[in-house]
Amino acid sequence: MKPTKANSQLANKRPFYTKEVMIRPYPPLFKIYQSYAQILNASQLPTHFQHDVSLISATAPAPAELFATDNFLLVYIAQQQNIRIKARSIVEADVDLIQVQYQLSNTLFKLMTELKINPQALNPDKLLHNLNQSLSKQAIYDVNQKLYDKPRCSLSRDLLAKLIDCSRNQLLYRQKQINGSHDLRIQALKNKCKALTSVQPCASQFWSLDHEN
């Protein structure tokens, strides 16, 4: 089989630029990457960061892709700009998912305490849900023990506020803004479409000329 550009980049063991290949999070870790993205979207990104990353070569469906199992900060930045990286080639069979999830979770907690994060750019409830669904339960337990001395395997709004250095009230206010905006959109739809407020809606109410626009 002819070596792909991605495989060649890993094989030569020299730093290369991300414009030459596409770097994605390793699929089983994608939900954790989404949690990273939510935090980083609301953050002032650092100008200095580690350029090392562990990569797995993809064979299908896109041989030009490389899958990262660590340093998701670099992966996120690489989606937006061309950066020079130093890759370590690893074999997929050697990936210890539980350990990798634990390390990525701890790294995210560390980033949350170090970065300047704007609470107004977050969706607190959605973020909390994603963090609790994707991160290592052991890592969540450990950070609860460290900051609150509470044996919990879930993140609370109080803990989230502490990690990103804001108050619980700021997160509550932001969520109230989001919910209020959602309620306004729902009310606007109800004002246009009588079927949404009818006990027994009929097809003619949905297609009424009164709410085409």
Side-chain angles (χ1 to χ4, degrees):
M1 180 183 295
K2 184 179 179 180
T4 65
K5 187 168 188 176
N7 287 328
S8 298
Q9 293 287 11
L10 279 181
N12 65 29
K13 298 182 180 180
R14 292 196 300 268
F16 59 89
Y17 285 93
T18 51
K19 70 176 181 180
E20 301 172 21
V21 294
M22 191 172 294
I23 297 178
R24 303 291 188 209
Y26 183 47
L29 303 171
F30 184 71
K31 287 185 178 180
I32 295 182
Y33 177 77
Q34 287 181 312
S35 293
Y36 269 77
Q38 282 181 274
I39 291 294
L40 296 173
N41 282 339
S43 304
Q44 182 176 324
L45 296 178
T47 54
H48 300 286
F49 51 89
Q50 290 291 330
H51 286 243
D52 298 73
V53 63
S54 299
L55 298 174
I56 300 172
S57 295
T59 55
E65 287 187 335
L66 293 172
F67 291 132
T69 60
D70 57 17
N71 202 348
F72 278 1
L73 170 61
L74 179 144
V75 177
Y76 177 86
I77 294 175
Q79 308 296 321
Q80 305 174 44
Q81 56 185 278
N82 179 34
I83 55 176
R84 192 169 185 261
I85 69 169
K86 184 178 180 181
R88 297 180 298 273
S89 177
I90 60 173
V91 179
E92 186 171 9
D94 292 339
V95 176
D96 183 341
L97 271 181
I98 293 177
Q99 183 61 27
V100 169
Q101 288 168 347
Y102 182 77
Q103 292 171 345
L104 284 169
S105 300
N106 281 330
T107 300
L108 180 57
F109 290 144
K110 187 171 184 290
L111 279 173
M112 290 167 71
T113 62
E114 293 175 348
L115 295 176
K116 185 176 182 180
I117 299 171
N118 177 13
Q120 284 297 110
L122 294 172
N123 183 327
D125 285 357
K126 183 178 180 181
L127 175 60
L128 267 178
H129 174 78
N130 287 351
L131 291 171
N132 281 315
Q133 289 293 314
S134 67
L135 299 188
S136 160
K137 296 300 181 186
Q138 184 61 53
I140 294 175
Y141 180 92
D142 290 348
V143 78
N144 267 303
Q145 283 283 76
K146 180 180 179 181
L147 298 180
Y148 279 112
D149 194 26
K150 294 179 180 179
R152 292 179 179 172
C153 292
S154 62
L155 284 165
S156 65
R157 185 177 279 109
D158 287 331
L159 181 54
L160 175 61
K162 191 174 185 68
L163 286 167
I164 66 174
D165 193 26
C166 74
S167 70
R168 184 176 187 273
N169 284 341
Q170 282 178 284
L171 294 180
L172 287 171
Y173 176 71
R174 174 56 182 153
Q175 194 61 50
K176 184 177 179 180
Q177 287 180 310
I178 293 170
N179 294 343
S181 176
H182 175 74
D183 291 343
L184 286 174
R185 289 196 295 270
I186 294 297
Q187 188 57 51
L189 286 173
K190 287 180 178 179
N191 292 339
K192 286 185 176 182
C193 185
K194 294 180 180 179
L196 295 177
T197 57
S198 176
V199 177
Q200 293 182 322
C202 60
S204 62
Q205 290 176 311
F206 283 102
W207 297 104
S208 171
L209 293 176
D210 293 338
H211 50 76
E212 277 190 346
N213 298 316

